[in-house]
Every structure is written in C-alpha cells, then in structure tokens.
Amino acid sequence: MKQPNSAFLRQSVFVFFLLLSCWIQPLLALSSSSSSSASRKTTTTTTRLPTPPRIKQTQNWKDAVDLSQQFLQNNKDDNKKTVAIIGGGLSGLACAKYLTDAGHIPIVYEARDVLGGKVSAWQDDDGDWIETGLHIFFGAYPNMMKLFEELNIEDRLQWKKHQMTFAMQDLPGQFTSFQFPPNVPAPFNMAAAILSNTEMLTLEEKIRMVPGLLPMLLEGQSFIDEQDELSVLEFMRKFGMPERINEEIFVAMGKALDFTDPDSEY
C-alpha cells in the first residue's frame, strides 16, 4: 500500500487543530449566551421558526421569481395546448401548476390513488399518518421555496435546527447529533459539526477524515467534480477514511436522503 505523504498529513493535522480552535470558542460562547438568555425567561413558548430572510435575497431566488413571471406573461389563448404528465409526484404536480400558469391544460396520470410520489402522505384505516420517504426541503432550493409561496402554503414548512441525529450502535437506545452552527456557510458549518461532536467520532477518526474533506474546503467544486465517477464508499476508501464512518454514518445518510447505499454509483 502506498504510504501517505508525511508533509500532507502534517498539514492536515495542522488544519484540523486550526479549525478546532476557531470553532470551539464560538460554540462555547453560543452555549453560554443561550444559557444566560434561558435563565432570564420564566416561560418558554414553542413557535414556528421564521423562514430565513436571506433565502429571498439570493440570486437563485431572484431567478426563480423571473421564471415564474415568464410563465404568466406567456399565457395566451391562441397557444393553448393539452399536455399529458406521467406521474403525480412533486415534479409532475409542479409541472402541472406552471403549465396552468402559462395557459395550457395539464392532465396528470398517476398509477397510485395518492399524489405526491416520494413526498406523499396519507391516513390509514386507524387514522395514523403514513409518510413516504424523507420530507426535507433545504434553504438552497429556491424554486421549491418560490412554489410554496405561490401556493400560499409557505407557513406549512417547519424550519428546524440544522443537525443530523444518529443512533449509536455501541449504545443501543442512545442518540448523538452533529449540530451545524447557524449563519456559517458550507462546507465550514460541516467542519464545525464534525469537530464539535465528541460522542460518535474519536479524535483519530476525525483526523483520518481530513485528507478527503480538506480538498473540498480548499478547491471547492472542481475537486468534487473530479470525484464524480466514484461512489461515496470508493471515495472514502481512496482517501483512507475509517470503515466505521461508512457503516454508522453514511449508510444511514444515503438511505435517508437518496434511498441508496454509499457503494452505489448513482
């Protein structure tokens, strides 16, 4: 096996501890501030977290607004068409909505007796709600956010704290979370989440993740594009990441987000 470059490892360890020193202090300050704030309050009220205002200030949001306006401006009776849409999932329903905005007549064909596809939900005979898959929409989805606004259902989206929670295999019944600090851009928020978790990953495992994660921080999208032919598992093995990271974290993430295993190429 080819030995890792010692200079690169020294640099990786240095960057790791630099990130550690940069993130622990703000996290402690945030914790202290939260504790002080909590001590001053006599009652606690659970309310819906507001939509992050920066979403509607991004260029992606502005582009989504322009596209929606184009559909409405192209609404002409002399160009009306009847359009068949195969599948009543999220894409099919959104397509039908915008075709209607443009003045066309959409017909949605769905094999099941419930609409929504991967995000469908229905009540069973006992009155319990059954959900299909994961219901998560990130702030980085401006077209989705704009669609919610146009349908006047934006208030139904429940914003949550940015964190990932995992069951710990060695401690049945116990859970641990990777908490992404607010107002910190990716991928630095991910680095903070990994470094601040002390229950699931050992210091050695965190250091062994550096060779694969550090280029993402330094090179960005160009490095990610170069790994496009690799599955997540192949990428991890290429950069020497621990197998336990795959078994306890990425298998759960892959199945939750994409219904696939980390060793899948798609």
PDB file of all heavy atoms in Angstrom, residues 71-99:
ATOM      1  N   PHE A  71     -43.840  32.466 -17.126  1.00  0.00           N
ATOM      2  CA  PHE A  71     -44.987  31.588 -17.384  1.00  0.00           C
ATOM      3  C   PHE A  71     -46.270  32.400 -17.472  1.00  0.00           C
ATOM      4  O   PHE A  71     -47.107  32.189 -18.359  1.00  0.00           O
ATOM      5  CB  PHE A  71     -45.108  30.533 -16.273  1.00  0.00           C
ATOM      6  CG  PHE A  71     -44.086  29.439 -16.363  1.00  0.00           C
ATOM      7  CD1 PHE A  71     -43.178  29.239 -15.344  1.00  0.00           C
ATOM      8  CD2 PHE A  71     -44.046  28.597 -17.458  1.00  0.00           C
ATOM      9  CE1 PHE A  71     -42.235  28.227 -15.419  1.00  0.00           C
ATOM     10  CE2 PHE A  71     -43.115  27.576 -17.550  1.00  0.00           C
ATOM     11  CZ  PHE A  71     -42.201  27.393 -16.520  1.00  0.00           C
ATOM     12  N   LEU A  72     -46.447  33.329 -16.555  1.00  0.00           N
ATOM     13  CA  LEU A  72     -47.670  34.142 -16.543  1.00  0.00           C
ATOM     14  C   LEU A  72     -47.744  35.065 -17.752  1.00  0.00           C
ATOM     15  O   LEU A  72     -48.816  35.284 -18.325  1.00  0.00           O
ATOM     16  CB  LEU A  72     -47.726  34.967 -15.252  1.00  0.00           C
ATOM     17  CG  LEU A  72     -47.857  34.160 -13.950  1.00  0.00           C
ATOM     18  CD1 LEU A  72     -47.714  35.075 -12.742  1.00  0.00           C
ATOM     19  CD2 LEU A  72     -49.194  33.430 -13.904  1.00  0.00           C
ATOM     20  N   GLN A  73     -46.605  35.591 -18.170  1.00  0.00           N
ATOM     21  CA  GLN A  73     -46.577  36.507 -19.317  1.00  0.00           C
ATOM     22  C   GLN A  73     -46.844  35.785 -20.628  1.00  0.00           C
ATOM     23  O   GLN A  73     -47.302  36.391 -21.599  1.00  0.00           O
ATOM     24  CB  GLN A  73     -45.230  37.223 -19.368  1.00  0.00           C
ATOM     25  CG  GLN A  73     -45.003  38.180 -18.200  1.00  0.00           C
ATOM     26  CD  GLN A  73     -43.578  38.669 -18.101  1.00  0.00           C
ATOM     27  OE1 GLN A  73     -42.716  38.306 -18.924  1.00  0.00           O
ATOM     28  NE2 GLN A  73     -43.294  39.480 -17.090  1.00  0.00           N
ATOM     29  N   ASN A  74     -46.561  34.486 -20.677  1.00  0.00           N
ATOM     30  CA  ASN A  74     -46.762  33.712 -21.908  1.00  0.00           C
ATOM     31  C   ASN A  74     -48.148  33.092 -21.992  1.00  0.00           C
ATOM     32  O   ASN A  74     -48.418  32.264 -22.855  1.00  0.00           O
ATOM     33  CB  ASN A  74     -45.705  32.607 -22.010  1.00  0.00           C
ATOM     34  CG  ASN A  74     -44.317  33.170 -22.238  1.00  0.00           C
ATOM     35  OD1 ASN A  74     -44.168  34.238 -22.830  1.00  0.00           O
ATOM     36  ND2 ASN A  74     -43.297  32.457 -21.761  1.00  0.00           N
ATOM     37  N   ASN A  75     -49.028  33.486 -21.076  1.00  0.00           N
ATOM     38  CA  ASN A  75     -50.380  32.931 -21.035  1.00  0.00           C
ATOM     39  C   ASN A  75     -51.229  33.556 -22.154  1.00  0.00           C
ATOM     40  O   ASN A  75     -51.766  34.651 -22.024  1.00  0.00           O
ATOM     41  CB  ASN A  75     -51.021  33.223 -19.670  1.00  0.00           C
ATOM     42  CG  ASN A  75     -52.334  32.485 -19.482  1.00  0.00           C
ATOM     43  OD1 ASN A  75     -52.995  32.132 -20.459  1.00  0.00           O
ATOM     44  ND2 ASN A  75     -52.713  32.258 -18.237  1.00  0.00           N
ATOM     45  N   LYS A  76     -51.318  32.839 -23.274  1.00  0.00           N
ATOM     46  CA  LYS A  76     -52.056  33.324 -24.437  1.00  0.00           C
ATOM     47  C   LYS A  76     -53.016  32.238 -24.916  1.00  0.00           C
ATOM     48  O   LYS A  76     -52.634  31.083 -25.077  1.00  0.00           O
ATOM     49  CB  LYS A  76     -51.100  33.712 -25.558  1.00  0.00           C
ATOM     50  CG  LYS A  76     -50.145  34.849 -25.185  1.00  0.00           C
ATOM     51  CD  LYS A  76     -49.183  35.163 -26.320  1.00  0.00           C
ATOM     52  CE  LYS A  76     -48.232  36.281 -25.937  1.00  0.00           C
ATOM     53  NZ  LYS A  76     -47.267  36.582 -27.030  1.00  0.00           N
ATOM     54  N   ASP A  77     -54.254  32.624 -25.140  1.00  0.00           N
ATOM     55  CA  ASP A  77     -55.280  31.659 -25.538  1.00  0.00           C
ATOM     56  C   ASP A  77     -54.988  31.011 -26.887  1.00  0.00           C
ATOM     57  O   ASP A  77     -55.351  29.861 -27.122  1.00  0.00           O
ATOM     58  CB  ASP A  77     -56.652  32.334 -25.582  1.00  0.00           C
ATOM     59  CG  ASP A  77     -57.137  32.727 -24.190  1.00  0.00           C
ATOM     60  OD1 ASP A  77     -56.671  32.108 -23.220  1.00  0.00           O
ATOM     61  OD2 ASP A  77     -57.967  33.647 -24.097  1.00  0.00           O
ATOM     62  N   ASP A  78     -54.319  31.735 -27.790  1.00  0.00           N
ATOM     63  CA  ASP A  78     -54.083  31.188 -29.124  1.00  0.00           C
ATOM     64  C   ASP A  78     -52.972  30.145 -29.144  1.00  0.00           C
ATOM     65  O   ASP A  78     -52.712  29.539 -30.181  1.00  0.00           O
ATOM     66  CB  ASP A  78     -53.753  32.321 -30.099  1.00  0.00           C
ATOM     67  CG  ASP A  78     -52.535  33.133 -29.655  1.00  0.00           C
ATOM     68  OD1 ASP A  78     -52.046  32.912 -28.523  1.00  0.00           O
ATOM     69  OD2 ASP A  78     -52.088  33.992 -30.444  1.00  0.00           O
ATOM     70  N   ASN A  79     -52.324  29.938 -28.009  1.00  0.00           N
ATOM     71  CA  ASN A  79     -51.231  28.960 -27.960  1.00  0.00           C
ATOM     72  C   ASN A  79     -51.529  27.853 -26.947  1.00  0.00           C
ATOM     73  O   ASN A  79     -50.627  27.180 -26.481  1.00  0.00           O
ATOM     74  CB  ASN A  79     -49.920  29.673 -27.600  1.00  0.00           C
ATOM     75  CG  ASN A  79     -48.700  28.797 -27.844  1.00  0.00           C
ATOM     76  OD1 ASN A  79     -48.688  27.977 -28.760  1.00  0.00           O
ATOM     77  ND2 ASN A  79     -47.693  28.946 -26.995  1.00  0.00           N
ATOM     78  N   LYS A  80     -52.801  27.686 -26.609  1.00  0.00           N
ATOM     79  CA  LYS A  80     -53.176  26.728 -25.572  1.00  0.00           C
ATOM     80  C   LYS A  80     -53.009  25.288 -26.063  1.00  0.00           C
ATOM     81  O   LYS A  80     -53.400  24.956 -27.179  1.00  0.00           O
ATOM     82  CB  LYS A  80     -54.618  26.969 -25.133  1.00  0.00           C
ATOM     83  CG  LYS A  80     -55.074  26.067 -23.997  1.00  0.00           C
ATOM     84  CD  LYS A  80     -56.494  26.376 -23.567  1.00  0.00           C
ATOM     85  CE  LYS A  80     -56.569  27.764 -22.954  1.00  0.00           C
ATOM     86  NZ  LYS A  80     -57.921  28.031 -22.392  1.00  0.00           N
ATOM     87  N   LYS A  81     -52.420  24.441 -25.189  1.00  0.00           N
ATOM     88  CA  LYS A  81     -52.212  23.029 -25.532  1.00  0.00           C
ATOM     89  C   LYS A  81     -52.676  22.156 -24.376  1.00  0.00           C
ATOM     90  O   LYS A  81     -52.701  22.581 -23.219  1.00  0.00           O
ATOM     91  CB  LYS A  81     -50.724  22.761 -25.804  1.00  0.00           C
ATOM     92  CG  LYS A  81     -50.156  23.546 -26.974  1.00  0.00           C
ATOM     93  CD  LYS A  81     -48.668  23.299 -27.114  1.00  0.00           C
ATOM     94  CE  LYS A  81     -48.098  24.106 -28.269  1.00  0.00           C
ATOM     95  NZ  LYS A  81     -46.618  23.981 -28.376  1.00  0.00           N
ATOM     96  N   THR A  82     -53.025  20.931 -24.716  1.00  0.00           N
ATOM     97  CA  THR A  82     -53.334  19.927 -23.691  1.00  0.00           C
ATOM     98  C   THR A  82     -52.105  19.036 -23.538  1.00  0.00           C
ATOM     99  O   THR A  82     -51.624  18.454 -24.508  1.00  0.00           O
ATOM    100  CB  THR A  82     -54.545  19.080 -24.096  1.00  0.00           C
ATOM    101  OG1 THR A  82     -55.690  19.941 -24.254  1.00  0.00           O
ATOM    102  CG2 THR A  82     -54.841  18.040 -23.030  1.00  0.00           C
ATOM    103  N   VAL A  83     -51.597  18.953 -22.309  1.00  0.00           N
ATOM    104  CA  VAL A  83     -50.321  18.279 -22.055  1.00  0.00           C
ATOM    105  C   VAL A  83     -50.526  17.127 -21.077  1.00  0.00           C
ATOM    106  O   VAL A  83     -51.117  17.299 -20.003  1.00  0.00           O
ATOM    107  CB  VAL A  83     -49.278  19.267 -21.481  1.00  0.00           C
ATOM    108  CG1 VAL A  83     -47.945  18.573 -21.277  1.00  0.00           C
ATOM    109  CG2 VAL A  83     -49.133  20.477 -22.398  1.00  0.00           C
ATOM    110  N   ALA A  84     -50.040  15.939 -21.446  1.00  0.00           N
ATOM    111  CA  ALA A  84     -50.107  14.771 -20.561  1.00  0.00           C
ATOM    112  C   ALA A  84     -48.844  14.724 -19.700  1.00  0.00           C
ATOM    113  O   ALA A  84     -47.727  14.862 -20.203  1.00  0.00           O
ATOM    114  CB  ALA A  84     -50.222  13.494 -21.375  1.00  0.00           C
ATOM    115  N   ILE A  85     -49.030  14.537 -18.400  1.00  0.00           N
ATOM    116  CA  ILE A  85     -47.917  14.430 -17.456  1.00  0.00           C
ATOM    117  C   ILE A  85     -47.984  13.052 -16.816  1.00  0.00           C
ATOM    118  O   ILE A  85     -48.977  12.690 -16.188  1.00  0.00           O
ATOM    119  CB  ILE A  85     -48.003  15.522 -16.373  1.00  0.00           C
ATOM    120  CG1 ILE A  85     -47.963  16.912 -17.028  1.00  0.00           C
ATOM    121  CG2 ILE A  85     -46.878  15.382 -15.359  1.00  0.00           C
ATOM    122  CD1 ILE A  85     -48.184  18.043 -16.054  1.00  0.00           C
ATOM    123  N   ILE A  86     -46.923  12.285 -16.984  1.00  0.00           N
ATOM    124  CA  ILE A  86     -46.880  10.929 -16.435  1.00  0.00           C
ATOM    125  C   ILE A  86     -46.259  10.990 -15.042  1.00  0.00           C
ATOM    126  O   ILE A  86     -45.074  11.272 -14.889  1.00  0.00           O
ATOM    127  CB  ILE A  86     -46.063   9.985 -17.332  1.00  0.00           C
ATOM    128  CG1 ILE A  86     -46.549  10.055 -18.779  1.00  0.00           C
ATOM    129  CG2 ILE A  86     -46.137   8.557 -16.794  1.00  0.00           C
ATOM    130  CD1 ILE A  86     -48.000   9.697 -18.953  1.00  0.00           C
ATOM    131  N   GLY A  87     -47.073  10.734 -14.041  1.00  0.00           N
ATOM    132  CA  GLY A  87     -46.582  10.728 -12.670  1.00  0.00           C
ATOM    133  C   GLY A  87     -47.044  11.942 -11.886  1.00  0.00           C
ATOM    134  O   GLY A  87     -46.824  13.084 -12.306  1.00  0.00           O
ATOM    135  N   GLY A  88     -47.680  11.676 -10.740  1.00  0.00           N
ATOM    136  CA  GLY A  88     -48.182  12.753  -9.899  1.00  0.00           C
ATOM    137  C   GLY A  88     -47.310  13.003  -8.692  1.00  0.00           C
ATOM    138  O   GLY A  88     -47.815  13.293  -7.601  1.00  0.00           O
ATOM    139  N   GLY A  89     -46.005  12.893  -8.892  1.00  0.00           N
ATOM    140  CA  GLY A  89     -45.078  13.221  -7.815  1.00  0.00           C
ATOM    141  C   GLY A  89     -44.838  14.714  -7.752  1.00  0.00           C
ATOM    142  O   GLY A  89     -45.552  15.518  -8.370  1.00  0.00           O
ATOM    143  N   LEU A  90     -43.825  15.098  -7.017  1.00  0.00           N
ATOM    144  CA  LEU A  90     -43.546  16.519  -6.830  1.00  0.00           C
ATOM    145  C   LEU A  90     -43.245  17.209  -8.158  1.00  0.00           C
ATOM    146  O   LEU A  90     -43.746  18.306  -8.432  1.00  0.00           O
ATOM    147  CB  LEU A  90     -42.366  16.682  -5.870  1.00  0.00           C
ATOM    148  CG  LEU A  90     -42.137  18.065  -5.284  1.00  0.00           C
ATOM    149  CD1 LEU A  90     -43.377  18.575  -4.584  1.00  0.00           C
ATOM    150  CD2 LEU A  90     -40.954  18.052  -4.326  1.00  0.00           C
ATOM    151  N   SER A  91     -42.448  16.575  -9.011  1.00  0.00           N
ATOM    152  CA  SER A  91     -42.109  17.170 -10.300  1.00  0.00           C
ATOM    153  C   SER A  91     -43.342  17.279 -11.198  1.00  0.00           C
ATOM    154  O   SER A  91     -43.560  18.307 -11.856  1.00  0.00           O
ATOM    155  CB  SER A  91     -41.025  16.348 -10.998  1.00  0.00           C
ATOM    156  OG  SER A  91     -39.833  16.341 -10.256  1.00  0.00           O
ATOM    157  N   GLY A  92     -44.148  16.214 -11.226  1.00  0.00           N
ATOM    158  CA  GLY A  92     -45.339  16.223 -12.075  1.00  0.00           C
ATOM    159  C   GLY A  92     -46.351  17.273 -11.650  1.00  0.00           C
ATOM    160  O   GLY A  92     -46.927  17.976 -12.490  1.00  0.00           O
ATOM    161  N   LEU A  93     -46.553  17.421 -10.335  1.00  0.00           N
ATOM    162  CA  LEU A  93     -47.512  18.404  -9.842  1.00  0.00           C
ATOM    163  C   LEU A  93     -47.018  19.829 -10.077  1.00  0.00           C
ATOM    164  O   LEU A  93     -47.797  20.715 -10.434  1.00  0.00           O
ATOM    165  CB  LEU A  93     -47.767  18.177  -8.348  1.00  0.00           C
ATOM    166  CG  LEU A  93     -48.453  16.850  -7.984  1.00  0.00           C
ATOM    167  CD1 LEU A  93     -48.568  16.702  -6.475  1.00  0.00           C
ATOM    168  CD2 LEU A  93     -49.834  16.756  -8.631  1.00  0.00           C
ATOM    169  N   ALA A  94     -45.714  20.046  -9.887  1.00  0.00           N
ATOM    170  CA  ALA A  94     -45.147  21.372 -10.147  1.00  0.00           C
ATOM    171  C   ALA A  94     -45.255  21.714 -11.627  1.00  0.00           C
ATOM    172  O   ALA A  94     -45.583  22.848 -12.003  1.00  0.00           O
ATOM    173  CB  ALA A  94     -43.691  21.419  -9.685  1.00  0.00           C
ATOM    174  N   CYS A  95     -44.993  20.717 -12.473  1.00  0.00           N
ATOM    175  CA  CYS A  95     -45.111  20.914 -13.917  1.00  0.00           C
ATOM    176  C   CYS A  95     -46.544  21.304 -14.293  1.00  0.00           C
ATOM    177  O   CYS A  95     -46.761  22.230 -15.092  1.00  0.00           O
ATOM    178  CB  CYS A  95     -44.697  19.645 -14.654  1.00  0.00           C
ATOM    179  SG  CYS A  95     -44.787  19.744 -16.448  1.00  0.00           S
ATOM    180  N   ALA A  96     -47.512  20.626 -13.696  1.00  0.00           N
ATOM    181  CA  ALA A  96     -48.915  20.929 -13.983  1.00  0.00           C
ATOM    182  C   ALA A  96     -49.277  22.349 -13.549  1.00  0.00           C
ATOM    183  O   ALA A  96     -50.009  23.064 -14.251  1.00  0.00           O
ATOM    184  CB  ALA A  96     -49.819  19.921 -13.273  1.00  0.00           C
ATOM    185  N   LYS A  97     -48.740  22.768 -12.416  1.00  0.00           N
ATOM    186  CA  LYS A  97     -49.030  24.105 -11.910  1.00  0.00           C
ATOM    187  C   LYS A  97     -48.509  25.172 -12.868  1.00  0.00           C
ATOM    188  O   LYS A  97     -49.212  26.137 -13.207  1.00  0.00           O
ATOM    189  CB  LYS A  97     -48.396  24.257 -10.531  1.00  0.00           C
ATOM    190  CG  LYS A  97     -48.773  25.529  -9.782  1.00  0.00           C
ATOM    191  CD  LYS A  97     -47.825  26.675 -10.017  1.00  0.00           C
ATOM    192  CE  LYS A  97     -48.190  27.886  -9.167  1.00  0.00           C
ATOM    193  NZ  LYS A  97     -47.481  29.103  -9.565  1.00  0.00           N
ATOM    194  N   TYR A  98     -47.272  25.024 -13.335  1.00  0.00           N
ATOM    195  CA  TYR A  98     -46.681  26.050 -14.192  1.00  0.00           C
ATOM    196  C   TYR A  98     -47.235  25.999 -15.619  1.00  0.00           C
ATOM    197  O   TYR A  98     -47.299  27.023 -16.301  1.00  0.00           O
ATOM    198  CB  TYR A  98     -45.158  25.933 -14.170  1.00  0.00           C
ATOM    199  CG  TYR A  98     -44.582  26.406 -12.857  1.00  0.00           C
ATOM    200  CD1 TYR A  98     -43.935  25.526 -11.994  1.00  0.00           C
ATOM    201  CD2 TYR A  98     -44.719  27.729 -12.456  1.00  0.00           C
ATOM    202  CE1 TYR A  98     -43.432  25.962 -10.784  1.00  0.00           C
ATOM    203  CE2 TYR A  98     -44.214  28.177 -11.251  1.00  0.00           C
ATOM    204  CZ  TYR A  98     -43.573  27.288 -10.410  1.00  0.00           C
ATOM    205  OH  TYR A  98     -43.083  27.734  -9.207  1.00  0.00           O
ATOM    206  N   LEU A  99     -47.654  24.816 -16.067  1.00  0.00           N
ATOM    207  CA  LEU A  99     -48.331  24.740 -17.364  1.00  0.00           C
ATOM    208  C   LEU A  99     -49.664  25.490 -17.303  1.00  0.00           C
ATOM    209  O   LEU A  99     -50.049  26.179 -18.252  1.00  0.00           O
ATOM    210  CB  LEU A  99     -48.571  23.283 -17.751  1.00  0.00           C
ATOM    211  CG  LEU A  99     -47.365  22.530 -18.317  1.00  0.00           C
ATOM    212  CD1 LEU A  99     -47.666  21.041 -18.420  1.00  0.00           C
ATOM    213  CD2 LEU A  99     -46.961  23.093 -19.683  1.00  0.00           C
TER     214      LEU A  99
END
